C-alpha cells in the first residue's frame, strides 16, 4: 500500500490550493436545494484534475470516480469505496470577521460543510495523482441538501452506489468540541432516527363566557402535550434513548372565544427502529384518547425523516487502528453517548458498510464558544490536513482488504 509519508507529502503539496478552495466556498454559501455555484466549483476542479464526474445528481450533487490502475490484486472485499461530503449551508447571518466571510446575507457555512467539501476535493486530487499505485475504485459523493430533505437518500435513489458498486462509505463531520486534528469515534449507534409529529385537535368553538357550550381545543391539546412527555419516561426502558418534543402550539383567534381547533407540531427521536415504533404507537394512542376524553378529535400525522445512524462494526475495526497510527492515541476520543441529533449519512449506513467520524476543529484561540449552527462558528482550517490524511489512507486501507475479511479479523 502507498506509504503514509508519501500521502503526507502530497497533502503538503496541495494544501494551499485546498485552503483557497475552502475559503471560496465559505465566502459563497448556498442553502439546501440551491447549491448551483458550489456544484459548478466542484465540477470545475474535478475537470481540471481529469476526474470523471456527473453533475446534477439529486439536484446539485456531484459524483466523481477515480479508478485505480495498478495491476490487479487478489480479489478484494470492496469493488469501490466512497467518501461523502455534504455541500449545503444554513440560513444564518455570519458574525465572524474575516477576509473570506460570507458574501450572501443571511447565509453561512455554520456546520462545516465547506470544510467537508474542500477536504474531499483535496483527497480527490491526491488519489487521482496516485491512481497507478492502487487498484479498485474510489467514488466521491458531493451531497446536497443534508440540512433539509435528505440528499443522501436522493443520491442513493439516483444510482450513486452503482457502476462501480460501492461496498463501503466513509464520512467526516467537523467537531467544534474537539481539538484541531483529533478524531472522535462512536461505535455502533451514533445519531437518532427522526419522525415529524403533527397533531390537529378539533373541538367546538363558542363564547368564552359560556364554555359549557363548546369543546375547548386548547385544554385538550395542552393535556396531550403534557401526556406525551410520559412516553419516554414510562413506555421506554431507561436504557433506550427516545424523546418527544413539541415545538409549536397554535390555537385560538380572540381572548373571549373558546378555541375550536389547535395544531401541535413536534419531533420524535430514537436510536433504533423498535424504540421509534413505541413512540409512534403511543403518541397516536395518547393523542386520540385524550382528545376523545374531552369530547374533541385528534388527527395524528407522523412523517418519517432520517433513519438512525448506526456505524459499521467492521469498518470501525479497520479504521480505528488506522487513526491511532496516523494521529496518535492521545488524539483519539470516543463519544460518551450517541446523539439524538440526526444526519442523513444514516442512509448510507443502511445501504452498505459505513462509518461516520468526527474531526476536531477547535483551535482554542476563539473568543466565542465554538458550536455548530452558530453565527460565531469558525473551524480551524488546519484540521483539513488530518481529514484528508484519514480519507486517503482510509479508502486505500479498505480497498486493500481481502475478499474474506470478516468482523473480528484485523
Amino acid at each position: 500500500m502507498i506509504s503514509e509519508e508519501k500521502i503526507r507529502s502530497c497533502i503538503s503539496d496541495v494544501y494551499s490550493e485546498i485552503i483557497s478552495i475552502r475559503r471560496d466556498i465559505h465566502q459563497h454559501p448556498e442553502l439546501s436545494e440551491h447549491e448551483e455555484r458550489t456544484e459548478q466549483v466542484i465540477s470545475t476542479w474535478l475537470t481540471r484534475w481529469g476526474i470523471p464526474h456527473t453533475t446534477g445528481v439529486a439536484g446539485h450533487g456531484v459524483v466523481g470516480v477515480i479508478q485505480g490502475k495498478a495491476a490487479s490484486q487478489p480479489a478484494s472485499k470492496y469493488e469501490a469505496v466512497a467518501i461523502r461530503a455534504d455541500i449545503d449551508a444554513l440560513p444564518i447571518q455570519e458574525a465572524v470577521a474575516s477576509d473570506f466571510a460570507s458574501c450572501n446575507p443571511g447565509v453561512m457555512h455554520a456546520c462545516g460543510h465547506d470544510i467537508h467539501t474542500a477536504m474531499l476535493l483535496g483527497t480527490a486530487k491526491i488519489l487521482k495523482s496516485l491512481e497507478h499505485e492502487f487498484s479498485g475504485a474510489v467514488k466521491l459523493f458531493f451531497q446536497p441538501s443534508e440540512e433539509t430533505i435528505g440528499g443522501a437518500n436522493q443520491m442513493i435513489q439516483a444510482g450513486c452506489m452503482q457502476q462501480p458498486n460501492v461496498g463501503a462509505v466513509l464520512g467526516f463531520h467537523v467537531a467544534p468540541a474537539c481539538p484541531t486534528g483529533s478524531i472522535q469515534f462512536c461505535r455502533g449507534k451514533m445519531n437518532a432516527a427522526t419522525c415529524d409529529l403533527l397533531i390537529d385537535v378539533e373541538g367546538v368553538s363558542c363564547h368564552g363566557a359560556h364554555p359549557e357550550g363548546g369543546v375547548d381545543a386548547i385544554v385538550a391539546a395542552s393535556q396531550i402535550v403534557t401526556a406525551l412527555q410520559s412516553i419516554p419516561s414510562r413506555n421506554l426502558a431507561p436504557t433506550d434513548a427516545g424523546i418527544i418534543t413539541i415545538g409549536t402550539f397554535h390555537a385560538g383567534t380572540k381572548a373571549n372565544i373558546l378555541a375550536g381547533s389547535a395544531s401541535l407540531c413536534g419531533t420524535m427521536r430514537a436510536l433504533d427502529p423498535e424504540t421509534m415504533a413505541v413512540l409512534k404507537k403511543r403518541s397516536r394512542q395518547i393523542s386520540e384518547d385524550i382528545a376523545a376524553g374531552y369530547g374533541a378529535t385528534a388527527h395524528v400525522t407522523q412523517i418519517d425523516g432520517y433513519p438512525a445512524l448506526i456505524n459499521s462494526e467492521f469498518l470501525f475495526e479497520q479504521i480505528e487502528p488506522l487513526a491511532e497510527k496516523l494521529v496518535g492515541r492521545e488524539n483519539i476520543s470516543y463519544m460518551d453517548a450517541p446523539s439524538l441529533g440526526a444526519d442523513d449519512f444514516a442512509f448510507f449506513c443502511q445501504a452498505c458498510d459505513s462509518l461516520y467520524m468526527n474531526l476536531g476543529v477547535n483551535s482554542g484561540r476563539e473568543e466565542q464558544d465554538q458550536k455548530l449552527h452558530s453565527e460565531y462558528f469558525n473551524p480551524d482550517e488546519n484540521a483539513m490536513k488530518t481529514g484528508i490524511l484519514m480519507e486517503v489512507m482510509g479508502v486505500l486501507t479498505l480497498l486493500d482488504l481481502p475478499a474474506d475479511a470478516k468482523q473480528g479479523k484485523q
Side-chain angles (χ1 to χ4, degrees), residues 388-407:
I388 295 171
L389 178 64
M390 283 293 301
E391 288 183 349
V392 173
M393 295 297 291
V395 295
L396 293 177
T397 297
L398 296 182
L399 288 174
D400 203 41
L401 291 173
D404 61 352
K406 296 181 176 63
Q407 186 171 317

Side-chain angles (χ1 to χ4, degrees), residues 55-70:
T55 58
V57 181
H60 298 291
V62 180
V63 175
V65 182
I66 301 171
Q67 181 64 56
K69 302 183 186 308

Side-chain angles (χ1 to χ4, degrees), residues 120-138:
L120 185 50
L121 284 169
T123 295
K125 183 174 185 180
I126 290 170
L127 287 172
K128 179 63 177 177
S129 71
L130 300 173
E131 63 184 354
H132 291 283
E133 299 185 47
F134 67 89
S135 59
V138 180

Side-chain angles (χ1 to χ4, degrees), residues 116-178:
H116 304 165
T117 302
M119 285 190 339
L120 185 50
L121 284 169
T123 295
K125 183 174 185 180
I126 290 170
L127 287 172
K128 179 63 177 177
S129 71
L130 300 173
E131 63 184 354
H132 291 283
E133 299 185 47
F134 67 89
S135 59
V138 180
K139 299 194 78 171
L140 317 167
F141 294 163
F142 296 92
Q143 179 215 304
S145 308
E146 188 278 327
E147 299 287 357
T148 55
I149 61 174
N153 189 43
Q154 294 192 353
M155 289 188 77
I156 292 170
Q157 296 302 315
C160 73
M161 305 294 284
Q162 285 82 48
Q163 297 181 336
N165 294 323
V166 175
V169 181
L170 299 177
F172 276 97
H173 200 293
V174 295
C178 298

Side-chain angles (χ1 to χ4, degrees), residues 171-192:
F172 276 97
H173 200 293
V174 295
C178 298
T180 295
S182 62
I183 303 296
Q184 186 180 63
F185 289 96
C186 186
R187 197 164 192 159
K189 299 174 183 177
M190 184 172 183
N191 287 93

Side-chain angles (χ1 to χ4, degrees), residues 166-226:
V166 175
V169 181
L170 299 177
F172 276 97
H173 200 293
V174 295
C178 298
T180 295
S182 62
I183 303 296
Q184 186 180 63
F185 289 96
C186 186
R187 197 164 192 159
K189 299 174 183 177
M190 184 172 183
N191 287 93
T194 67
C195 181
D196 289 341
L197 177 62
L198 312 174
I199 305 171
D200 293 316
V201 179
E202 291 184 13
V204 178
S205 182
C206 69
H207 197 293
H210 306 287
E212 73 280 5
V215 176
D216 193 337
I218 288 180
V219 171
S222 297
Q223 293 298 319
I224 290 172
V225 172
T226 301

Side-chain angles (χ1 to χ4, degrees), residues 188-195 236-243 268-280 304 306-310 338-341 350:
K189 299 174 183 177
M190 184 172 183
N191 287 93
T194 67
C195 181
L236 300 180
T239 53
D240 293 335
I243 194 169
M268 299 188 290
R269 306 284 174 111
L271 292 172
D272 57 68
E274 295 77 18
T275 302
M276 180 60 80
V278 173
L279 297 182
K280 288 181 175 182
D304 287 327
Y306 299 167
L309 195 165
I310 304 175
S339 168
L340 289 182
Q350 286 189 328

